[in-house]
Amino acid sequence: MSSRSTLAELLWAEKYRPRSLQDMVNQEDVVRRLQVFVKERNMPHLLFAGPPGTGKTTAAHALAHDLYGEDYRLYMLELNASDERGIDVIRTKVKEFARSKLPANVPFKIVLLDEADNMTADAQQALRRLMEMYVDVTRFILIANYPSKVIEPIQSRCAVFRFASLKKEDVVTRLKWICSQERVACDDRGLESIYEVSGGDMRKAINVLQAAAALGEVNVSNVYKVVGLATPAEVRALLKTALFEGDFLKARDTLRKLMVTYGLSGVDIVRQLHREVFSPEVTISEELRVEIADYLGEVQYRLVEGADDEIQLSALLAKLVLLGKPLRQQPQPPKPARR
Amino acid sequence: MPSARKVPWVVKYKPRRVDEVVDQEEAKKLFIEWIDSWFRGKPEKRASLLYGPPGSGKNSLVEALANERGLELIEMNASDYRRSSDIERIVKTSARGRSLTSARGKIIVLDEVDGISATADLGALDAILDLIKSSSYPVVLIANDPWDPKLRELRDACLMIEFRRLTKTAVKKVLHSICLSEKLVCDEEALDFIAERSEGDLRSAINDLEAVGEGFGKVTRSAAEALLRSRDRDLNVFEVVRKILMSKYAWQAREASNQTDLSPDELIKWIHENLPRQAQDPEDLWRAYEALSRADVYFSRIVKSGSWDLLTYAVDMMTAGVALSIKNTQYKFKWVKYSFPEVLRLIARTREVRQVREDLAKLIASHLKCSTSTAKSDVMPLLKVIFDSNPQYAARLALGLNMSESMIRYLSEHNGDAIVKLVDDLRRELARAGVRRGGETALGTRPARPSPESSRGRRTGSSKGLDNFSKK
């Protein structure tokens, strides 16, 4: 028996995304309060804040779904981080939608803005005015990883909902349920190791689960195999070139390769470097690991502030070249002395 | 008749006689009198220092006079006499005692002496002074800017001869005559433009004329603009970056950044590209990058807050902050080759791959309702693992997500062909099933959620469920 759904497969993070609020298995407090809005068919502007993969976007869609039914997208304008959301878009597209006449059967329309913290201050100001002017017909749901980067006047106009990082049991239970739906063999230690590598980010956990399942079954060794394969070898090369060879220009070329050909962002690379720094296969002193980690944190902070990936990571490489200077002066025991 | 070897026009049209040297009448008079006094045996000053802006005729005058009088030129430029020993060598080989084999007189020319103060050890200056005292031939020093305090003693020992910046009219006259000799069609406006741009530098004006004439076969204003504007900019940027990195004072570095029409956020890319070439000491490099990174943080704050007032701090850090971080003089003033920001080239070269990657990221983002950067960092590497290790399953995903062929190949170098073929098979199978079932499931649509019926259908057959898709 062939049909599209037997032949084609989706990403599990999409396939098993809760469609309705009642399907959401965690963030109980948040969900309960949102369900009140559905019941009363009224709500204020909302700001969903919390780390990635904790259900913010899912909750927003589920809320709209429960308010308007299957065709909820008719009444919702959704602008993702990848969409253009400069001040012009706010003044034209968003404004058009926000002021448009209210369909007879719904209490209000919804504008959903993902990663609102990445919008410029100008665009946020423009947004604030729209939130005021059209509040009778349109409600805004803003989603942010870092609520502090949403301007104060917007924060004060929104009911803020904090999404906590998911607990281990929540993640493992959900993963186990997906495995049973998919008829995939899994063991608890495998699922726990997925939680270890994804740290309370459900979307990431489900993606790792699907990749591990594609290797056969979900066990510890497949999980780590997947994570290892998904980390480009260049990340470790970057660390080693800068520290042990002190070759800044070569390291910078590797960095560019990672960014341009793999399309990794600066923060991605910092995170992966962080993992490498504590890997036993990188033979450096414990003190140095900590010192590098501290600087990685600083770089990530600057990147989150909006600084340029290449310049900040080059500054990091320059720091590594300097930190590696004593290592290069005496031959490394595990490596043959060079020069 | 094409000539066998092409001589650049600056060489071809070099003045052979003193009266062919354009303008600079006062300098000519002084210089000729001085040389004459030498060969009469009692010069008032034993050396002369010709100074003035580039391309104003300093070298040309010396060469033309030597040519007229049959004097031999012994020329050295700054890179040849960095150390005092270099200078002593000249003193030994050429200066002391008149040569018996050559009846000709000689002129010793030290070019670019203003370059020496920064690059050479100071012994070199003493050696030049010694040379001036002991030489039995006239010593001519040449400089653009002789007013460095370190050169004071040299100035005292020399007859100072100033060359003025050439006027636009004078430059244009020479260009005209070259066009005539080369039988090159040129319009007045174009020569105006080239002369104007040269700022009195005849050498660069002739080079520009040659470039335009060679490139277009005639010299028109639009041709000149098209060719020179772009070339000028890159050369200029290298110079500006060099000036910034070599600055000793904060104001120098800040001022240098005004000499380019690049915006600060473009200029920072050029500084970033070339900084590690100049600052080779790890300590310097780290300090300089700290400054550059601060500048970059200011840029991000400008974008966030819209306060353009902050721009000046960004510029401070990327110019003065960087320049003053480079303390190791061994590298600071070393001449190294700079390059064009590599990342721009890399981006141009990888345009197609990146386009595929961006399209794929958008596709994934729309399915997972996440940002494209999450798609790239979190999802795509895992998809690559799946595509590399399980082609059958990968094909089903490719079908479900409606991936293009190039996306599939992007995700797996090794299995690309196999997966593309598997997807084709799946599509055909699906089409057949669609016909059988009255076209109920059209290609390109996907179910909103997996219906229980269909999941059951898929699960029958294998306990693993993943690499199982029916091939009936």
Side-chain angles (χ1 to χ4, degrees):
Chain A
M1 182 73 197
S2 309
S3 77
R4 185 168 181 87
S5 42
T6 57
L7 296 177
E9 173 65 304
L10 289 173
L11 290 167
W12 291 353
E14 176 184 12
K15 196 168 166 183
Y16 295 104
R17 177 195 289 280
R19 261 60 184 177
S20 161
L21 286 171
Q22 65 191 17
D23 297 339
M24 288 189 72
V25 292
N26 40 52
Q27 311 293 0
E28 293 85 358
D29 293 345
V30 171
V31 169
R32 214 174 303 123
R33 286 167 66 199
L34 295 180
Q35 280 171 331
V36 174
F37 296 151
V38 175
K39 209 173 118 211
E40 294 177 347
R41 294 184 70 73
N42 194 12
M43 68 179 208
H45 298 309
L46 308 179
L47 173 58
F48 290 176
T54 49
K56 302 182 295 297
T57 310
T58 298
H61 280 269
L63 173 66
H65 172 273
D66 292 357
L67 274 167
Y68 309 128
E70 287 296 334
D71 293 331
Y72 69 89
R73 278 165 194 272
L74 291 174
Y75 312 108
M76 184 164 88
L77 174 69
E78 189 188 354
L79 286 181
N80 289 315
S82 30
D83 297 325
E84 180 55 51
R85 299 177 308 175
I87 187 161
D88 292 339
V89 174
I90 301 293
R91 280 185 183 148
T92 54
K93 198 171 165 188
V94 177
K95 186 172 176 185
E96 273 319 299
F97 179 85
R99 69 197 276 201
S100 63
K101 226 173 131 246
L102 200 60
N105 49 342
V106 298
F108 48 80
K109 295 161 290 173
I110 291 178
V111 173
L112 175 61
L113 286 161
D114 217 333
E115 297 192 25
D117 44 349
N118 279 338
M119 291 167 62
T120 64
D122 283 351
Q124 292 194 33
Q125 286 294 352
L127 190 62
R128 181 193 70 120
R129 278 191 292 279
L130 297 187
M131 292 171 79
E132 246 161 35
M133 288 165 73
Y134 305 111
V135 65
D136 46 339
V137 287
T138 302
R139 304 294 145 74
F140 286 74
I141 303 178
L142 308 186
I143 295 179
N145 287 145
Y146 306 94
S148 61
K149 292 205 303 183
V150 173
I151 60 171
E152 196 66 40
I154 287 187
Q155 287 192 46
S156 70
R157 280 171 180 74
C158 291
V160 180
F161 286 77
R162 293 195 185 276
F163 286 67
S165 219
L166 298 187
K167 291 191 290 288
K168 189 169 169 181
E169 310 89 77
D170 288 345
V171 174
V172 169
T173 309
R174 185 71 176 171
L175 295 181
K176 203 180 271 179
W177 179 76
I178 293 176
C179 287
S180 72
Q181 294 292 303
E182 290 288 335
R183 297 271 185 105
V184 172
C186 66
D187 62 35
D188 283 354
R189 284 189 45 238
L191 298 179
E192 279 166 20
S193 62
I194 293 180
Y195 174 81
E196 303 297 326
V197 297
S198 55
D201 177 340
M202 184 69 93
R203 177 175 44 224
K204 202 167 174 184
I206 296 177
N207 287 330
V208 173
L209 179 77
Q210 191 171 11
L215 296 185
E217 60 180 277
V218 183
N219 53 33
V220 178
S221 100
N222 275 345
V223 169
Y224 281 105
K225 197 169 160 200
V226 161
V227 174
L229 288 172
T231 306
E234 281 86 352
V235 173
R236 183 170 298 172
L238 195 64
L239 195 62
K240 290 194 162 173
T241 308
L243 274 178
F244 298 129
E245 295 171 38
D247 190 338
F248 178 86
L249 287 172
K250 187 173 156 199
R252 190 173 68 176
D253 285 345
T254 308
L255 172 69
R256 284 172 170 165
K257 189 171 173 222
L258 276 170
M259 295 201 310
V260 176
T261 54
Y262 286 85
L264 290 184
S265 73
V267 173
D268 300 335
I269 297 174
V270 170
R271 288 210 189 102
Q272 300 197 3
L273 278 171
H274 183 239
R275 221 176 12 240
E276 288 300 318
V277 162
F278 290 101
S279 150
E281 283 160 62
V282 177
T283 52
I284 50 174
S285 73
E286 299 302 303
E287 288 84 352
L288 192 51
R289 293 187 208 275
V290 176
E291 198 169 347
I292 296 173
D294 183 24
Y295 199 75
L296 286 171
E298 179 63 31
V299 170
Q300 184 165 345
Y301 173 71
R302 290 178 190 177
L303 290 175
V304 169
E305 265 201 302
D308 180 81
D309 287 351
E310 198 182 313
I311 290 181
Q312 296 303 329
L313 282 163
S314 297
L316 168 69
L317 294 181
K319 176 82 170 180
L320 290 177
V321 168
L322 182 65
L323 288 175
K325 205 172 155 192
L327 305 177
R328 298 192 294 273
Q329 273 154 4
Q330 55 212 350
Q332 278 279 292
K335 298 174 65 116
R338 41 173 91 233
R339 270 173 289 201
Chain B
M1 274 287 282
S3 60
R5 220 182 60 198
K6 236 188 85 17
V7 183
W9 290 358
V10 273
V11 177
K12 191 170 171 186
Y13 294 101
K14 211 160 56 173
R16 312 281 153 194
R17 296 193 321 273
V18 171
D19 58 14
E20 286 174 9
V21 176
V22 192
D23 266 349
Q24 314 293 10
E25 295 308 321
E26 211 169 314
K28 280 185 206 170
K29 191 165 150 270
L30 275 171
F31 186 61
I32 293 171
E33 276 172 11
W34 175 72
I35 287 280
D36 285 344
S37 73
W38 245 101
F39 290 106
R40 279 198 308 271
K42 41 173 185 181
E44 198 177 313
K45 295 263 186 175
R46 298 181 57 82
S48 67
L49 201 173
L50 314 191
Y51 67 96
S56 54
K58 303 179 292 293
N59 281 300
S60 294
L61 177 59
V62 180
E63 286 170 24
L65 187 70
N67 188 44
E68 256 185 42
R69 304 281 171 91
L71 301 168
E72 187 185 344
L73 280 182
I74 295 171
E75 288 175 286
M76 303 190 84
N77 54 29
S79 52
D80 300 332
Y81 52 83
R82 282 160 169 273
R83 294 181 308 267
S84 50
S85 56
D86 297 334
I87 313 241
E88 277 151 22
R89 205 182 57 240
I90 330 173
V91 175
K92 285 204 185 93
T93 53
S94 62
R96 240 177 301 150
R98 295 189 183 230
S99 153
L100 289 174
T101 52
S102 162
R104 301 200 305 169
K106 295 176 183 175
I107 301 181
I108 296 169
V109 182
L110 302 184
D111 202 354
E112 304 170 21
V113 282
D114 45 352
I116 188 177
S117 60
T119 54
D121 69 77
L122 290 173
L125 286 172
D126 290 334
I128 294 176
L129 284 169
D130 281 348
L131 170 67
I132 292 172
K133 271 183 218 129
S134 62
S135 172
S136 29
Y137 296 108
V139 176
V140 179
L141 310 183
I142 295 180
N144 292 136
D145 170 20
W147 305 114
D148 190 301
K150 288 200 192 101
L151 299 178
R152 193 183 52 79
E153 274 186 276
L154 277 186
R155 286 198 298 271
D156 291 346
C158 294
L159 173 70
M160 300 289 284
I161 301 179
E162 186 189 359
F163 282 65
R164 292 176 198 287
R165 191 177 290 284
L166 291 175
T167 61
K168 193 177 137 189
T169 331
V171 173
K172 218 175 124 186
K173 219 169 92 187
V174 177
L175 297 182
H176 240 300
S177 69
I178 293 178
C179 285
L180 279 180
S181 313
E182 291 290 327
K183 301 195 171 54
L184 196 60
V185 181
C186 63
D187 66 34
E188 207 63 17
E189 272 186 30
L191 297 189
D192 268 334
F193 174 73
I194 296 174
E196 182 82 50
R197 253 182 93 268
S198 74
E199 295 180 351
D201 180 345
L202 186 56
R203 184 174 17 209
S204 82
I206 295 175
N207 280 332
D208 288 352
L209 182 73
E210 184 176 5
V212 177
E214 289 277 285
F216 293 84
K218 59 182 187 226
V219 182
T220 62
R221 167 93 190 207
S222 56
E225 281 188 9
L227 187 73
L228 299 176
R229 280 262 159 77
S230 62
R231 195 192 64 173
D232 195 42
R233 210 181 77 139
D234 283 3
L235 281 179
N236 181 20
V237 176
F238 287 138
E239 253 350 278
V240 167
V241 173
R242 204 181 301 279
K243 266 191 198 165
I244 291 172
L245 296 183
M246 289 188 179
S247 288
K248 281 189 264 182
Y249 307 101
W251 61 264
Q252 260 181 324
R254 297 176 69 222
E255 218 169 72
S257 70
N258 292 330
Q259 294 169 2
T260 166
D261 45 8
L262 284 186
S263 64
D265 58 325
E266 287 174 294
L267 182 60
I268 196 172
K269 292 205 173 70
W270 289 79
I271 296 175
H272 160 59
E273 179 66 39
N274 293 300
L275 168 62
R277 299 173 208 280
Q278 195 78 57
Q280 294 176 14
D281 179 279
E283 197 118 358
D284 283 357
L285 186 64
W286 169 70
R287 252 197 313 269
Y289 258 112
E290 271 297 305
L292 206 62
S293 124
R294 294 287 302 155
D296 175 44
V297 167
Y298 281 121
F299 280 129
S300 67
R301 288 177 183 164
I302 292 167
V303 173
K304 288 260 138 166
S305 66
S307 12
W308 284 92
D309 307 8
L310 295 176
L311 187 61
T312 178
Y313 306 107
V315 173
D316 288 348
M317 292 314 290
M318 67 191 251
T319 57
V322 168
L324 298 179
S325 300
I326 312 176
K327 297 186 196 290
N328 186 332
T329 48
Q330 188 194 339
Y331 300 116
K332 178 155 186 157
F333 301 111
K334 192 173 147 194
W335 195 90
V336 284
K337 197 169 178 309
Y338 282 2
S339 58
F340 182 81
E342 189 57 37
V343 70
L344 301 181
R345 250 183 223 149
L346 206 57
I347 283 171
R349 256 206 318 270
T350 54
R351 182 160 289 138
E352 273 170 45
V353 180
R354 282 184 307 111
Q355 190 56 52
V356 173
R357 193 185 69 213
E358 291 307 312
D359 291 346
L360 182 58
K362 275 190 197 137
L363 180 69
I364 294 170
S366 74
H367 278 272
L368 295 190
K369 300 190 176 73
C370 62
S371 68
T372 49
S373 66
T374 306
K376 277 186 275 187
S377 67
D378 285 7
V379 187
M380 274 158 58
L382 293 168
L383 274 179
K384 276 189 180 181
V385 174
I386 295 176
F387 275 59
D388 278 338
S389 52
N390 191 339
Q392 273 80 21
Y393 189 58
R396 291 179 46 204
L397 269 172
L399 184 65
L401 294 172
N402 248 324
M403 287 184 195
S404 70
E405 212 180 296
S406 46
M407 290 176 185
I408 294 171
R409 290 182 202 282
Y410 173 81
L411 285 172
S412 182
E413 280 168 33
H414 313 297
N415 297 336
D417 291 341
I419 298 173
V420 168
K421 199 180 159 295
L422 283 166
V423 172
D424 282 347
D425 293 348
L426 287 174
R427 287 222 162 101
R428 265 196 297 279
E429 194 172 339
L430 203 56
R432 275 201 306 276
V435 170
R436 261 206 316 275
R437 290 160 44 158
E440 169 214 322
T441 41
L443 267 171
T445 57
R446 53 187 174 80
R449 50 195 310 192
S451 70
E453 188 196 359
S454 59
S455 350
R456 220 181 302 130
R458 179 160 46 78
R459 271 186 233 128
T460 48
S462 154
S463 59
K464 271 197 196 163
L466 279 188
D467 36 18
N468 144 49
F469 55 98
S470 77
K471 280 188 170 172
K472 279 168 227 160

